[in-house]
Amino acid sequence: MHISDGVLPTYATVGGYVVSAALTAWSARKTRSQDLPKLAVVTAAFFVASLIHVPLGPTSAHLLIPGLTGALLGPPAFLSIGLGLLLQSFLFQFGGLTALGANTLMMGLPAVICGWIFQRYKGRTQKRQAIVGGLVGALGTAMAAIFLALLLGTGGEDFLGMAKLALLAHIPVIIIEGIVSAFTIGFLARVKPDLLRAAFTPASRETDG
Amino acid sequence: MADIIQYPLWQLPLLILMPLGCIAAMVICLRRLAHRKEIPRGEDPDWSVPSLDDDTGATLLHRWDVRAKIVTLLVYSFAVASLEHLTPSLLAVVLSLTAMAIARVSVVRVLLRLLALSGFLGMLLVVLPFTVPMHSGDTVLLFGGIQWLSFNVRGLLLAVTIAAKAVAIALLMEPLLATAPLPVTLNGLARLGLPEMVGQMVLLSYRYVHVFLHEARRMASGMRVRGFRKRTDLYTLYAVAGFLGMLFVRSFERTERVFDAMRARGYTGRFPEQGEFRLQGRDILLASAWILAGGALIAYDRIIL
């Protein structure tokens, strides 16, 4: 779920831009500069992954994957998500030019937090990685939903009811996201464990050899 | 105290279903139209490929300096987003429609943008009238005397105002982006102080979204051929997770190959620039006129209303 133009008060949109810009700069510094073009290509893959719809009873929900992005990319995930949302609003017809900063914050911050948690608690066994991955996947979406509610809350009391409804509506998505993330991380742990090392961060490269 | 108007209960579904039906009908019509006119189905036009027919100078907006255009439209969008009343918001929609007409952009692409917006805005239109807290002076419609389910007209107005603002800004995206090739727009952004790497990353990931979409479609049709159908069950989630994992594995490997190939062709962190920028008097004139229009809307919104 992305916030469209015209919902948030001006201080929230401008503030969202400022904080996002600062975090993007931090995220870019956490990425080795020669890896930036690679990060752009990987962003395209995450973008495509987020377009996948999962059936949910009579309707369907599309995956948000902030948790997975964070787990696989680490701190560069914020930059990656900002780039993805920019693409989305510029080129793929989803609006939200003025809400771009707030939207990036809403998805990017959970990703970075989830990435940190995943790298810290993933352990060594495949099973544990899958379980932590699932928890992180659910947590990422839950945090994104909470940020969404908080951002809507900046619009004043008129939007509080809407914020509560948005939180409720995210509960099934959180569960699905958790299950899919657990399976995906489990799959990667079996097929290509290298990917679970947050490949674009200099620190993790050095320690893991 | 709020004005309370009582209605029998059976009119409530009517009230909700009618706008929902209208929106659904609009969405279906838009889809039809988009599909009929869309170039080959499922193929987004790839704007990273420079267009061969050089149509610079086609319209006023095509001739506008990219930098002036970006700054103007960004400032103007923020002005529109901060409007609070319905009338100036509707005026903003009219202004955007005028800009669209001047730039002669593809109507289908604009419709697709509106289609993408319709989900969020439709939800807003349905939810806000029922959740907005009651103030004195509000007009409230009650159905069959159910106290907790009151339809607040102020909420509806708020939702319509937001929808108008969102549509006004979304309508401007096509005139902003389609009137210059994407690399030129990004170069313009770089000239405005955005790090050059950001523009390159946008170009690269934009290009590879198309590549990976293609790949994902191929994998999906492979799964369908083997009899996989999406259902609401655990196995579907398992299969989707495998799909995601495979997509990541393939794309990370591909990324390495792409980057090696780029370096082998002499990539040193820069793409060659296309076109040149010249800021002329008329660029600034158009920019100031447009920003003044945004300022006038805000003045009308805050001072007069």
Side-chain angles (χ1 to χ4, degrees):
Chain A
M1 174 64 66
H2 304 298
I3 300 172
S4 75
D5 287 308
V7 177
L8 299 176
T10 312
Y11 78 87
T13 53
V14 174
Y17 260 104
V18 171
V19 179
S20 283
L23 279 168
T24 306
W26 166 81
S27 177
R29 282 191 48 192
K30 286 275 177 186
T31 318
R32 280 177 305 181
S33 56
Q34 72 263 36
D35 276 347
L36 286 172
K38 286 192 208 171
L39 188 66
V41 179
V42 169
T43 297
F46 283 100
F47 188 95
V48 171
S50 75
L51 296 179
I52 293 173
H53 279 253
V54 175
L56 188 72
T59 65
S60 70
H62 80 100
L63 297 171
L64 302 169
I65 61 166
L68 264 182
T69 313
L72 294 183
L73 295 181
F78 195 90
L79 179 58
S80 173
I81 284 175
L83 187 60
L85 289 175
L86 186 80
L87 276 183
Q88 198 172 49
S89 92
F90 266 35
L91 304 163
F92 292 95
Q93 287 123 24
F94 289 83
L97 180 64
T98 60
L100 183 63
N103 279 327
T104 307
L105 210 57
M106 176 176 103
M107 300 295 281
L109 217 50
V112 172
I113 296 171
C114 286
W116 183 80
I117 294 175
F118 180 74
Q119 290 305 329
R120 177 145 188 171
Y121 295 104
K122 66 179 176 185
R124 297 249 166 234
T125 60
Q126 283 182 11
K127 200 171 168 189
R128 176 164 172 168
Q129 284 174 345
I131 291 170
V132 175
L135 289 177
V136 157
L139 183 69
T141 311
M143 279 196 286
I146 291 170
F147 276 122
L148 171 69
L150 287 178
L151 281 170
L152 284 176
T154 62
E157 54 167 4
D158 286 346
F159 291 91
L160 286 183
M162 173 105 180
K164 281 180 208 153
L165 269 182
L167 266 183
L168 276 180
H170 271 82
I171 289 175
V173 186
I174 291 170
I175 297 169
I176 288 183
E177 193 97 6
I179 298 172
V180 170
S181 301
F183 284 143
T184 308
I185 296 280
F187 177 90
L188 290 175
R190 269 180 287 132
V191 177
K192 205 168 162 66
D194 285 354
L195 286 190
L196 299 181
R197 280 192 201 150
F200 292 107
T201 340
S204 72
R205 251 305 146 76
E206 279 154 26
T207 50
D208 287 332
Chain B
M1 227 2 252
D3 289 329
I4 295 175
I5 305 172
Q6 296 274 356
Y7 283 99
L9 184 60
W10 62 267
Q11 288 188 358
L12 174 67
L14 216 67
L15 188 78
I16 297 179
L17 286 180
M18 250 168 38
L20 270 186
C22 285
I23 291 175
M26 255 165 59
V27 165
I28 291 170
C29 287
L30 286 182
R31 279 227 175 115
R32 283 265 167 82
L33 227 120
H35 271 302
R36 205 184 309 151
K37 289 202 187 163
E38 187 75 45
I39 331 149
R41 212 187 98 93
E43 289 282 323
D44 257 315
D46 187 341
W47 288 0
S48 60
V49 178
S51 69
L52 288 175
D53 47 333
D54 185 22
D55 54 359
T56 45
T59 71
L60 188 63
L61 276 131
H62 285 87
R63 285 195 303 268
W64 201 3
D65 184 87
V66 190
R67 292 165 294 175
K69 184 165 62 183
I70 294 168
V71 171
T72 306
L73 292 191
L74 206 61
V75 171
Y76 176 75
S77 295
F78 270 98
V80 170
S82 60
L83 295 176
E84 281 169 2
H85 294 93
L86 184 57
T87 333
S89 308
L90 290 176
L91 281 177
V93 174
V94 173
L95 212 67
S96 298
L97 284 172
T98 318
M100 258 178 66
I102 293 175
R104 276 188 243 129
V105 291
S106 140
V107 178
V108 175
R109 293 188 58 89
V110 173
L111 288 180
L112 281 175
R113 277 184 193 275
L114 293 185
L115 201 64
L117 266 177
S118 62
F120 187 84
L121 296 182
M123 198 186 68
L124 219 59
L125 282 172
V126 174
V127 170
L128 273 186
F130 290 102
T131 56
V132 163
M134 212 184 292
H135 287 256
S136 61
D138 286 358
T139 309
V140 174
L141 314 183
L142 274 184
F143 295 90
I146 306 172
Q147 285 300 324
W148 54 270
L149 201 67
S150 53
F151 185 97
N152 197 329
V153 175
R154 192 173 60 88
L156 184 68
L157 278 180
L158 184 65
V160 173
T161 307
I162 289 172
K165 289 192 286 182
V167 167
I169 295 174
L171 289 180
L172 277 181
M173 295 299 282
E174 272 318 288
L176 167 68
L177 291 162
T179 49
L182 183 60
V184 173
T185 305
L186 291 172
N187 266 336
L189 277 171
R191 290 292 186 84
L192 287 170
L194 196 80
E196 214 176 322
M197 187 42 96
V198 176
Q200 287 187 28
M201 289 178 72
V202 171
L203 265 187
L204 268 176
S205 52
Y206 180 61
R207 172 77 198 104
Y208 278 90
V209 164
H210 289 276
V211 174
F212 291 141
L213 264 180
H214 194 77
E215 180 120 349
R217 261 192 221 120
R218 226 172 30 172
M219 280 161 63
S221 55
M223 284 164 83
R224 258 202 315 279
V225 167
R226 294 190 194 92
F228 173 71
R229 296 286 179 276
K230 281 184 176 176
R231 287 187 198 90
T232 310
D233 57 10
L234 203 61
Y235 178 73
T236 302
L237 296 186
Y238 182 72
V240 166
F243 183 89
L244 281 186
M246 207 57 222
L247 189 69
F248 291 147
V249 169
R250 287 190 185 181
S251 59
F252 273 74
E253 279 170 357
R254 183 156 202 160
T255 302
E256 293 295 328
R257 292 203 301 272
V258 168
F259 192 56
D260 286 347
M262 276 165 62
R263 267 202 305 219
R265 285 167 179 75
Y267 175 75
T268 53
R270 295 192 55 138
F271 288 147
E273 266 188 29
Q274 297 179 350
E276 50 191 286
F277 298 107
R278 256 174 292 123
L279 197 61
Q280 291 172 335
R282 58 156 190 243
D283 295 323
I284 296 173
L285 198 68
L286 185 54
S288 359
W290 208 313
I291 291 179
L292 268 180
L297 280 178
I298 293 216
Y300 178 47
D301 189 60
R302 294 292 148 83
I303 300 166
I304 300 176
L305 285 179

